[in-house]
Amino acid sequence: MSLSDPDRELVTDHLGREPTQAEQALFENLWSEHCAYRSSRPLLGAFETDGENVIVPPGDDAGVVAIPSEDGEDTYIAMGIESHNHPSYVDPFDGAATGVGGIVRDILSMGAYPIALTDSLYFGDFEREYPRYLFEGVVEGISHYGNSIGVPTVAGSVAFHDGYEGNPLVNVACVGLTDSDRLVTAEAQEPGNKLVLVGRETGRDGMGGASFASEDLAEDAETEDRPAVQVGDPYSEKLLIECNEQLIDEDLIESARDLGAAGLGGASSELVAKGGLGAAIELERVHQREPGMNGTEILLSESQERMVYEVRPDDVDRVSEIAERYDLQASLIGETTEDGIYHCTFEGETVVEADAEFLGEGAPMNDLDHVEPAQPERDLPELDLETAFETVVGSPNTASKRWVYRQYDHEVQVRTATPPGDDAAVLSIRKAEQGLAISAGADPNWTAAAPYEGARAVGLENATNIAAKGATPLAAVDCLNGGNPEKSDVYGGFKAIVDGLADICSTLETPVVGGNVSLYNDSVEGPIPPTPTLTMVGTKDGYDAPPMALSGDGTLLLVGGTDDEPALGGSELLAQLGGSDRFPELPADPAELIETIAKVADFESTLATHDVSHGGLAVTLAEMVSDDAGVDVTVESPIALFDEQPGRVVVETTDPEAVREAFDGVAPVQELGEATSDGTLSIAAGEASLAADAADVAELRGVIEEEL
């Protein structure tokens, strides 16, 4: 990818001369879609990003929010999310692994210690060989990197859809802990401070990664684009985590930035531009691992495990000492200046001299046409209950993801109170004596069928996951994935998911404090479905939460949703059997609904909770039964079992009346039946019925583990 003619003309006019090779490459990367958000920034103003608990809004390496506290103690949560989609297609192991490393360093740059990861993964048809190869490689890369650095992967999602056949998605989020004394931002503070590069040596891997991520995947991408994929070293990252922690402890850092897209050029120019400053950098001072690197290569290499710090002049030696203690290299590469000019030299020759703000903010935005997505009509298949149940419960999309999360160390750091496999993970935040619930994911079936309503459903489902564990939403970060925005239908779908997700997060009063946009997820197979991955956190007093598994001793209630007729639009049933339908209605007051679900989840009489989402009530019940506990339930029709209306939870309770009272005037409460102790799933649906024991259900749900 090269600088377009209009962009080159704009740069030439601003500089008053032809750009140097290094300048052209730097503008090409920093003005790419991946860095400048040229097609998406005009839409992102729809998101509510402020709130009483927001400390650092979008625009930094990560967002920061305060955990509400009655005693005045300040505990901050740093949150960030990143996509590594194109790299994971070219090299699934390193592409996914370096995605983990990059988002962890975003958290480090805020002065936070990483405590949790989430991964939301999307692949082509599970029955096909190549998507399976990508799936296995990506999971291996995430587990290798996350386990090695000692950060637990606690939540996420996996979806299979034909639309990802030529372009998988790998969206990784990280959560960290900090406080007001330790908080650092990516905004340079004072002219005359020194710029110190800490971490691994710079090599030629990852060259042009930002521009590579800003164009469609070519048919030969796996071989031709391999140099654009970074190679990570998690053991260096672990050392960098601990080094960063000591630097923060000793108050040695004025500002910080992770070296990600566009490498040193991106990180250092953005750092000084945000502070209204400039920089003078000597590129030959950068520690290198390959001989003969030129200035452009040093500037734009995306070699991993590197941070750039703004440091007071008197503290440079101490920073170098600490880096050496952790077996990391530190290079004094330059200083901040007050003239606002980003100036780089290589062996005495000027290779970049440009206004820092123009580098980061000068790219013109795209004004693109969009076509509103069409609404589907009702065309339902013939429904045999037993066949439908086996098809949906045994689908890789709704099946157990144990094969994935058992490869992740979710217990490291000894915080995880509710592990992966439940609606949301719950971590203990000991300083605040609170639990932090984390949910992550999206559903391409929903947003392919109805992008706006489907994105609203994604937001509500993540909030419901958190509420089902007794927590209320605090904040979220999003990763907005789309195809080639120059196609009006693709851009129309992308615009719809932005508006839908912004709408529901605003309604839930949940600020979106950070995010990532990944466009041009398009290949010879066509564009991906518009995919709004969300990672949401919520808080609760303490960290005990009701389990998903039934106890076998209570009454089963279905709470939430609406009284509307069931609808199957976006459902796994239609994805498997064919057909179309309108998307289900969402509740009129989702904020009050979520608050009530959280309150009921913490009742002493509540024995188990589980949200209703992918696969509908049939999958929810299948996930709740075990050898020791079954269900005997009745619903009005088979369709009611496969409707995926979000905002609903199955509650096992010993006090149904207390639940009804809590939801009075808020949402419907339907009695489904009773939990049993025989381990059998028994369902009556109109004139049809089925029964399956826990072993049969487990066999259906074990399709991924069995196949792999």
Side-chain angles (χ1 to χ4, degrees):
M1 185 176 178
S2 59
L3 204 60
S4 69
D5 289 342
D7 285 353
R8 184 182 176 87
E9 184 178 342
L10 191 62
V11 168
T12 301
D13 288 346
H14 182 82
L15 296 176
R17 55 175 171 78
E18 288 293 313
T20 66
Q21 178 194 40
E23 286 171 336
Q24 177 157 320
L26 187 57
F27 275 107
E28 173 194 322
N29 278 269
L30 290 181
W31 284 20
S32 67
E33 185 68 51
H34 186 73
C35 290
Y37 289 7
R38 299 176 66 162
S39 301
S40 59
R41 190 180 294 186
L43 307 177
L44 300 180
F47 285 102
E48 294 286 344
T49 59
D50 295 322
E52 61 176 324
N53 296 311
V54 176
I55 305 300
V56 179
D60 221 302
D61 271 359
V64 179
V65 293
I67 293 180
S69 172
E70 295 180 2
D71 59 10
E73 288 286 327
D74 63 325
T75 301
Y76 294 169
I77 298 293
M79 304 175 63
I81 193 167
E82 176 170 301
S83 62
H84 249 222
N85 303 335
H86 284 26
S88 297
Y89 176 82
V90 173
D91 181 343
F93 180 89
D94 281 316
T98 51
V100 173
I103 196 59
V104 166
R105 292 192 302 279
D106 283 344
I107 298 303
L108 298 185
S109 69
M110 309 306 295
Y113 194 89
I115 64 167
L117 292 161
T118 74
D119 62 334
S120 300
L121 314 175
Y122 309 85
F123 304 96
D125 189 345
F126 180 73
E127 300 301 323
R128 296 179 184 171
E129 183 179 354
Y130 200 72
R132 280 199 201 185
Y133 154 74
L134 294 174
F135 177 36
E136 292 182 272
V138 163
V139 171
E140 185 181 0
I142 291 170
S143 65
H144 171 68
Y145 206 101
N147 294 353
S148 298
I149 63 175
V151 181
T153 303
V154 299
S157 64
V158 179
F160 301 95
H161 188 286
D162 287 345
Y164 303 113
E165 190 69 29
N167 196 131
L169 302 183
V170 176
N171 297 169
V172 183
C174 187
V175 175
L177 282 180
T178 188
D179 57 39
S180 58
D181 293 333
R182 299 170 55 80
L183 181 65
V184 174
T185 69
E187 182 176 319
Q189 299 298 302
E190 289 186 19
N193 281 338
K194 302 302 180 180
L195 296 175
V196 181
L197 182 66
V198 175
R200 286 179 69 200
E201 301 92 341
T202 297
R204 290 187 172 92
D205 55 317
M207 296 299 300
S211 56
F212 161 58
S214 303
E215 55 189 359
D216 294 351
L217 277 172
E219 199 164 5
D220 58 358
E222 191 178 5
T223 53
E224 292 300 310
D225 292 317
R226 190 163 291 273
V229 179
Q230 310 95 332
V231 179
D233 175 12
Y235 305 105
S236 294
E237 180 97 346
K238 176 60 176 173
L239 295 171
L240 188 57
I241 290 171
E242 302 307 327
C243 176
N244 187 80
E245 188 75 355
Q246 185 169 348
L247 294 173
I248 298 297
D249 280 344
E250 296 191 19
D251 192 26
L252 297 172
I253 304 305
E254 294 294 291
S255 65
R257 194 106 200 185
D258 152 54
L259 269 67
L264 175 62
S268 56
S269 66
E270 290 168 356
L271 183 84
V272 296
K274 278 181 67 69
L277 301 176
I281 294 175
E282 298 175 61
L283 294 172
E284 70 274 7
R285 287 174 169 258
V286 171
H287 46 279
Q288 303 158 46
R289 71 167 179 267
E290 297 185 40
M293 291 185 72
N294 62 39
T296 303
E297 291 172 327
I298 295 169
L299 191 67
L300 291 175
S301 164
E302 294 184 12
S303 293
Q304 295 291 283
E305 293 85 41
R306 300 181 300 159
M307 303 274 290
V308 62
Y309 295 114
E310 178 193 4
V311 178
R312 294 179 294 269
D314 290 346
D315 292 333
V316 171
D317 288 344
R318 180 57 181 157
V319 169
S320 297
E321 288 173 11
I322 293 172
E324 185 177 357
R325 175 186 172 188
Y326 288 97
D327 237 2
L328 298 170
Q329 294 195 43
S331 298
L332 173 59
I333 61 171
E335 65 181 14
T336 57
T337 61
E338 60 183 354
D339 60 5
I341 301 299
Y342 185 69
H343 184 257
C344 298
T345 61
F346 181 66
E347 297 178 346
E349 179 185 349
T350 295
V351 293
V352 176
E353 189 172 17
D355 182 83
E357 186 175 2
F358 183 68
L359 269 170
E361 301 293 332
M365 296 297 105
N366 294 331
D367 182 13
L368 301 174
D369 293 331
H370 70 276
V371 174
E372 295 286 341
Q375 297 300 312
E377 297 181 357
R378 172 163 277 205
D379 178 20
L380 300 183
E382 291 292 325
L383 202 60
D384 172 76
L385 178 57
E386 192 165 331
T387 301
F389 179 84
E390 291 178 357
T391 300
V392 171
V393 174
S395 164
N397 275 329
T398 59
S400 168
K401 304 305 186 296
R402 182 177 176 274
W403 180 87
V404 177
Y405 61 74
R406 74 187 175 112
Q407 299 184 52
Y408 303 149
D409 185 349
H410 59 265
E411 295 181 339
V412 65
Q413 297 191 26
V414 201
R415 294 181 182 275
T416 310
T418 300
D422 211 312
D423 292 327
V426 180
L427 277 63
S428 64
I429 308 299
R430 301 181 190 95
K431 179 182 175 183
E433 297 183 347
Q434 293 205 28
L436 185 73
I438 306 176
S439 174
D443 189 326
N445 287 339
W446 294 356
T447 45
Y452 175 80
E453 290 298 336
R456 291 184 69 225
V458 166
L460 181 56
E461 193 230 341
N462 278 283
T464 306
N465 285 338
I466 286 170
K469 301 300 110 177
T472 51
L474 175 66
V477 290
D478 60 23
C479 191
L480 304 168
N481 305 270
N484 186 332
E486 297 162 42
K487 301 174 181 177
S488 59
D489 58 334
V490 169
Y491 195 57
F494 180 77
K495 180 179 184 300
I497 63 168
V498 172
D499 291 342
L501 198 60
D503 177 40
I504 190 64
C505 289
S506 175
T507 301
L508 293 171
E509 298 182 347
T510 303
V512 177
V513 296
N516 175 262
V517 175
S518 176
L519 295 174
Y520 293 94
N521 292 292
D522 223 315
S523 69
V524 292
E525 304 286 344
I528 64 161
T531 309
T533 298
L534 194 70
T535 290
M536 184 180 285
V537 299
T539 55
K540 63 177 298 179
D541 292 334
Y543 40 85
D544 290 333
M548 181 174 74
L550 295 168
S551 74
D553 298 323
T555 298
L556 294 184
L557 302 178
L558 177 62
V559 304
T562 68
D563 288 321
D564 292 284
E565 179 187 357
L568 295 177
S571 68
E572 186 63 23
L573 181 74
L574 294 190
Q576 295 295 325
L577 300 183
S580 61
D581 198 3
R582 65 173 177 83
F583 196 78
E585 293 291 326
L586 270 64
D589 189 350
E592 187 178 11
L593 170 64
I594 292 301
E595 204 170 295
T596 308
I597 291 172
K599 181 173 71 172
V600 167
D602 282 337
F603 282 177
E604 284 189 20
S605 54
T606 297
L607 303 178
T609 55
H610 189 19
D611 92 303
V612 180
S613 55
H614 318 298
L617 184 59
V619 170
T620 298
L621 295 173
E623 290 174 335
M624 297 180 81
V625 300
S626 66
D627 290 336
D628 300 320
V631 297
D632 187 358
V633 304
T634 301
V635 296
E636 65 272 18
S637 70
I639 287 180
L641 288 169
F642 303 103
D643 172 13
E644 297 185 12
Q645 183 186 56
R648 296 182 296 160
V649 173
V650 171
V651 178
E652 183 190 13
T653 178
T654 57
D655 191 351
E657 193 53 40
V659 177
R660 291 190 182 93
E661 287 178 11
F663 280 95
D664 185 31
V666 176
V669 176
Q670 176 187 347
E671 186 164 330
L672 295 173
E674 300 292 328
T676 65
S677 59
D678 62 4
T680 301
L681 175 63
S682 298
I683 301 175
E687 297 181 0
S689 64
L690 69 83
D693 62 34
D696 293 335
V697 172
E699 186 177 350
L700 283 173
R701 299 194 62 244
V703 59
I704 293 177
E705 200 150 12
E706 181 183 341
E707 292 294 328
L708 297 181

